[in-house]
């Protein structure tokens, strides 16, 4: 490998704002995720009730406040306006003799619709609750589900940086005419591929490792699997960057390709993870996306799953297939 040429390319990348942003953004997001700490986000999901002034008794208001937040409005018309406001999930509560009536807009989330339908019944039997033994379970921190998902998405974004590095590097050489100089340099095709892969690979690995160090707390046994996922995924992303740089005719077309590939790199794994059951046909087919294996593997590590052989084997197969495809298409273009 030509280390002088590699050093020169890394210097030119420092002038590319898109590459710098791609390198720093996952690290910044990782710091933000880490600052979440043990913050409980369940309070943002508590129901909000709207009532009319002097309509409900103090006992009823206190009972509603035990369930969610209560906002008092001057009139029924003001309450109706607040309920139909699309930016809120407000449920209106009005007195109906010894019972209550719940008003809702009809376009609220399913959770609030269920609350609205069951609230009058709960109010009717509120005095019978003391007859039964009650055990309050501590709520599970919402970050136990949300935080690992955000961490994995950020990690995959950092791994994708190698694609941006290589694509923008090759496109910049096309724009500046350096690509013609490369053709007459005493460098074989294999050396050229190694040098180009190294640019994105090193950047992607470095960005992802820093991101992982910032937002993940790994045990000793988890370090090696995470490094394997980082190395294999960054290698694949750098290969994809070579494809984009070679096939794009200009800088704008290259940026468009990068955005499309990035969406395909991040969105499918999330959708399949949330919608497709593990072991199902869709879950198996999702391994056609190399980032799916990375996504499943990192989620498994964060959730304490030690069986990661399938994901690593899939990534190794993707590395081999993408590299073989690049070599085959390169020879076809040269011939």
């Amino acid at each position: 490998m030509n280390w002088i040429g590699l050093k020169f390319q890394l210097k030119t990348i420092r002038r590319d704002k898109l590459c710098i942003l791609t390198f720093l953004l996952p690290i910044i997001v990782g710091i933000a995720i880490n600052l979440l700490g043990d913050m409980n986000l369940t309070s943002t999901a508590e129901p909000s009730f709207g009532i009319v002034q002097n309509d409900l008794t103090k006992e009823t208001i206190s009972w509603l406040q035990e369930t969610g937040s209560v906002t008092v409005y001057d009139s029924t018309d003001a309450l109706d306006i607040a309920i139909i406001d699309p930016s809120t999930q407000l449920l209106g509560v009005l007195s109906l003799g010894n019972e209550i009536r719940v008003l809702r807009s009809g376009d609220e989330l399913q959770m609030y619709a269920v609350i609205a339908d069951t609230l009058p019944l709960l109010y009717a039997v509120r005095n019978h609750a003391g007859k039964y033994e009650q055990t309050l379970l501590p709520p599970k921190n919402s970050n136990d589900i949300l935080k690992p998902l955000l961490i994995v998405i950020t990690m995959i974004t950092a791994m994708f940086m190698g694609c941006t590095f290589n694509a923008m590097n090759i496109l910049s050489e096309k724009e500046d005419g350096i690509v013609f100089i490369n053709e007459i340099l005493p460098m074989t095709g294999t050396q050229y591929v190694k040098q180009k892969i190294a640019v994105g690979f090193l950047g992607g690995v470095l960005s992802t490792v820093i991101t992982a160090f910032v937002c993940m707390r790994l045990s000793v046994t988890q370090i090696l699997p995470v490094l394997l996922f980082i190395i294999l995924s960054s290698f694949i992303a750098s290969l994809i960057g070579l494809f984009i740089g070679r096939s794009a005719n200009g800088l704008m077309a290259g940026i468009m390709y990068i955005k499309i590939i990035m969406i395909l790199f991040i969105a499918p794994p999330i959708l399949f993870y949330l919608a497709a059951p593990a072991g199902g046909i869709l879950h198996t087919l999702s391994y056609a996306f190399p980032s799916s294996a990375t996504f499943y593997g990192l989620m498994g590590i964060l959730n304490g799953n030690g069986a990661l052989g399938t994901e690593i084997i899939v990534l190794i197969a993707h590395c081999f297939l993408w590299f073989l495809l690049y070599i085959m298409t390169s020879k076809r273009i040269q011939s």
Side-chain angles (χ1 to χ4, degrees):
M1 183 183 296
N2 188 346
W3 294 103
I4 297 178
L6 178 61
K7 183 179 179 180
F8 174 76
Q9 291 184 59
L10 291 176
K11 286 184 177 180
T12 59
I13 285 176
R14 289 187 305 180
R15 299 196 299 266
D16 195 316
K17 295 181 180 179
L18 181 60
C19 290
I20 295 175
L21 179 62
T22 308
F23 180 87
L24 294 178
L25 184 59
I27 300 174
I28 296 173
V29 174
I31 295 173
I33 294 174
N34 192 46
L35 292 177
L36 286 175
D38 295 326
M39 184 188 303
N40 195 339
L41 303 178
T42 54
S43 60
T44 60
E46 67 176 8
S48 299
F49 302 111
I51 64 175
V52 178
Q53 191 173 11
N54 300 326
D55 180 53
L56 299 178
T57 63
K58 293 183 179 179
E59 177 192 0
T60 304
I61 296 175
S62 299
W63 181 79
L64 289 174
Q65 289 175 339
E66 294 176 358
T67 306
S69 60
V70 177
T71 305
V72 181
Y73 294 89
D74 295 332
S75 63
T76 305
D77 293 337
L79 176 62
D80 291 337
I81 294 174
I83 292 173
I84 63 177
D85 187 347
S87 63
T88 67
Q89 297 287 327
L90 187 71
L91 301 177
V93 181
L94 298 177
S95 175
L96 192 64
N98 295 327
E99 301 177 353
I100 60 173
R101 181 164 63 100
V102 180
L103 306 178
R104 57 190 180 96
S105 61
D107 60 351
E108 63 279 315
L109 298 175
Q110 181 66 24
M111 178 183 70
Y112 298 105
V114 172
I115 293 175
D117 294 338
T118 57
L119 194 66
L121 179 60
L122 293 175
Y123 179 78
V125 299
R126 69 190 186 283
N127 294 325
H128 300 286
K131 299 180 181 180
Y132 305 95
E133 182 180 354
Q134 301 181 32
T135 302
L136 297 178
L137 298 177
K140 187 177 181 181
N141 196 330
S142 60
N143 287 352
D144 293 342
I145 299 174
L146 179 62
K147 190 173 181 178
L149 187 62
L150 292 176
I151 290 175
V152 174
I153 294 174
T154 305
M155 292 277 290
I156 291 179
T157 304
M159 295 171 189
F160 183 80
M161 179 196 167
C163 175
T164 305
F165 256 38
N166 282 350
M168 296 304 297
N169 178 256
I170 296 175
L171 291 173
S172 297
E173 290 183 351
K174 287 183 177 181
E175 293 285 335
D176 299 336
I178 301 177
V179 64
F180 300 109
I181 300 177
N182 291 335
E183 295 178 356
I184 61 175
L185 289 177
M187 181 171 54
T188 65
T190 303
Q191 291 176 332
Y192 176 81
V193 171
K194 288 181 180 179
Q195 184 169 297
K196 291 302 180 183
I197 290 177
V199 174
F201 176 75
L202 293 176
V205 169
L206 181 60
S207 176
T208 311
V209 167
I210 296 175
T211 303
F213 178 78
V214 168
C215 61
M216 297 181 73
R217 298 293 179 265
L218 300 174
S219 63
V220 177
T221 57
Q222 292 175 331
I223 294 177
L224 180 58
V226 170
L227 284 177
L228 282 176
F229 283 117
I230 292 174
I231 291 172
L232 295 174
S233 300
S234 299
F235 179 77
I236 295 171
S238 62
L239 277 175
I240 296 175
L242 294 185
F243 278 102
I244 295 176
R246 192 177 64 186
S247 59
N249 295 325
L251 189 59
M252 296 305 298
I255 293 176
M256 182 185 68
Y257 290 159
I258 290 173
K259 290 182 178 180
I260 294 174
I261 296 298
M262 187 172 185
I263 293 174
L264 294 176
F265 210 76
I266 298 176
I270 300 174
L271 295 177
F272 284 117
Y273 179 81
L274 297 176
I281 297 177
L282 288 177
H283 183 86
T284 304
L285 293 176
S286 67
Y287 283 112
F289 297 94
S291 54
S292 294
T294 306
F295 190 94
Y296 301 151
L298 291 177
M299 287 298 295
I301 290 173
L302 292 177
N303 293 328
N305 181 14
L308 302 172
T310 302
E311 287 77 13
I312 293 177
I313 292 174
V314 169
L315 280 176
I316 293 175
H318 271 290
C319 290
F320 176 77
L321 292 175
W322 279 99
F323 185 74
L324 182 62
L325 179 62
Y326 182 81
I327 297 298
M328 292 175 61
T329 54
S330 297
K331 291 182 178 179
R332 185 177 305 173
I333 292 174
Q334 292 175 1
S335 61

